[in-house]
Amino acid sequence: MLPGCGRSTGKRLICRCLTTLYVVLVLPIIPSFCQVQRVPFQRGAVNWFGPEHSPPLRSSNEWGSWQSWSPCSRTCGGGAAVRTRHCAIRDSSGPDCPGDTRQYQVCNIKDCPSGVTDFRHFQCSAYNNKPLMGIYYRWDPFQSGQGDCELSCLAQGQNFYYNFGRVLDGTSCRTEYDGVCINGQCLQVGCDFILGSDAQTDICGVCGGRNVSCRHHHNVYTTKYPASGLFGYNEVTVIPAGATNIRVTDKSNNYLALRNRNYHYVINGNWAINHPGVFSVAGTKIQYKRSADNTETLETAGPTDEDLHVMVLFTEQNSGIEYEYWLPKDYYIHHQRDRSSLQETVETVVSPTIPATLPPPPTTRQSALSLTTKRRPHQPRLERDNTELNRIIESKRDDKCGKCRRVKGRQNKIKQYCRKDFVFRGRIVSKKIIGKETRYDVLVVLTYKNNFPILRREYMWVPNTCDCPNLLENREYILMARRHVNYERTLNRILLETESFVRLYRPKEDKMLRDLDQECTKHGYQINTNQNP
């Protein structure tokens, strides 16, 4: 009661009125004043007004944490998993938590083994033992057009189908290559594997990226007359592992082909032309297309997990094969550094997108065409310890060469294969006599064994001028050579000795060189391996 209020009825009525005015007008002002004055007193860790004046808790509604993912609906072929979250209701009058209570992701996306029943076929066959209007039927999947996520099944031997409702969650949509059915709706799969997500993979293969982590490589293969002649295979290029958005295009009567890192054909190999379709290669799916106007393409989004050898089966003169791909920046720089400057003369570059930030090529690469025996090659190989094997046995009499000795017998072939540093198939581009040696410019077509790095284009040296062994220009040979480092270590090169194994390339030679490593172990020959200094 306010002071001054007595017991009389009049005073009591007046006091009641004043009390009401005090509560209505004065009390709402006091807390507001305290809150305003509270800030300067709480600049430290001391609470001058006690716990009753602590900051209020949040009153808005918000989501709790996501629960763990449920088990996948399928063990292979792509299924769906779900997780949920709950909205923490703190203010019933406030707005609901924005977003969904459920989230789906794709799981177990690896293809099922051969022989596993298709998922839609499996769902239709589940009704084989259930009567429909008193009659038992056997059911097959049927595309009725009613919806991508409807389970329509055709009765075998009949001319009608029946709609059994929605397909199971995790079933692939019919019209969408990367869509999955959830609750009867076809949801797109984002690159984060979340269904309904808008996340997309950029040109570099990075989920949600901005196309800044890779570089573009674009070339045209223009060799018109291959050394092996028409009606034969020739290598177009090697696409490094890690490449994305690969596209190879040819508009001729020739046929594109593809080999994996083990040099096994996966598309159009061994003189057999495949039907257009999707092929699983290098950890990705490659789309092979061939149209009526002789346009062929090989396409994949990637990324690849191994090198791919793009080949061409010639049936007529080459009109130009265009290829392009994207590589991560560190891959691209490494790939460009390992390319020989001689190799670049074989291919015509079409508007390459090499950024200006790359350093200019070193001057030693410009002199690669004029290498002599006193200069180190532009791409030095690793040194090795067994320098006693690096002496060259030169011909005693260059004026009278005599007959060249040829390696004969399978046993000698195996012996040289095991002991040589390089075994490869190469095409002789040119030949030049330098002093008492012969230098060959060789295009490496295929390597069977290389203990040290070898480039697409190399110089190969023979320690005589007698054409021993006899190598003709524009012909392909199987060559077994060794690495030569002189005592001063000013030379580091490929040496084809006088009695090295050399054979004109034939398909049968290619088959005989496969798996010769086992023969080395079988016959007890020591296999030369790469040794670090």
Side-chain angles (χ1 to χ4, degrees), residues 219-224 226 234-237 312 314 318-323 346-348 427 456:
N219 272 3
V220 174
Y221 175 77
T222 58
T223 299
K224 295 184 178 181
N234 209 50
E235 186 174 272
V236 176
T237 187
V312 58
F314 281 111
N318 177 32
S319 59
I321 300 175
E322 183 179 1
Y323 59 92
V346 181
E347 301 170 347
T348 302
R427 185 180 73 187
R456 174 81 182 277

Side-chain angles (χ1 to χ4, degrees), residues 252-264:
S252 69
N253 290 321
N254 300 324
Y255 293 95
L256 295 175
L258 197 64
R259 294 194 302 188
N260 60 16
R261 62 183 174 188
N262 297 322
Y263 305 106
H264 294 158

Side-chain angles (χ1 to χ4, degrees), residues 22-96:
Y22 177 80
V23 172
V24 173
L25 299 177
V26 179
L27 287 182
I29 300 176
I30 296 176
S32 175
F33 174 79
C34 294
Q35 291 175 3
V36 171
Q37 297 297 324
R38 178 183 174 188
V39 177
F41 290 101
Q42 280 197 319
R43 293 178 181 176
V46 180
N47 189 348
W48 294 94
F49 293 93
E52 66 274 15
H53 295 289
S54 59
L57 297 175
R58 297 180 182 178
S59 60
S60 60
N61 302 327
E62 60 181 16
W63 289 110
S65 301
W66 284 106
Q67 297 181 358
S68 58
W69 290 103
S70 68
C72 191
S73 61
R74 299 190 64 192
T75 58
C76 63
V82 62
R83 65 178 180 178
T84 59
R85 60 180 177 176
H86 299 285
C87 182
I89 304 295
R90 295 191 178 95
D91 185 2
S92 58
S93 61
D96 294 335

Side-chain angles (χ1 to χ4, degrees), residues 202-220:
D202 68 354
I203 199 71
C204 307
V206 178
C207 184
R210 296 178 296 174
N211 304 327
V212 296
S213 61
C214 63
R215 293 178 182 173
H216 189 211
H217 188 86
H218 184 192
N219 272 3
V220 174

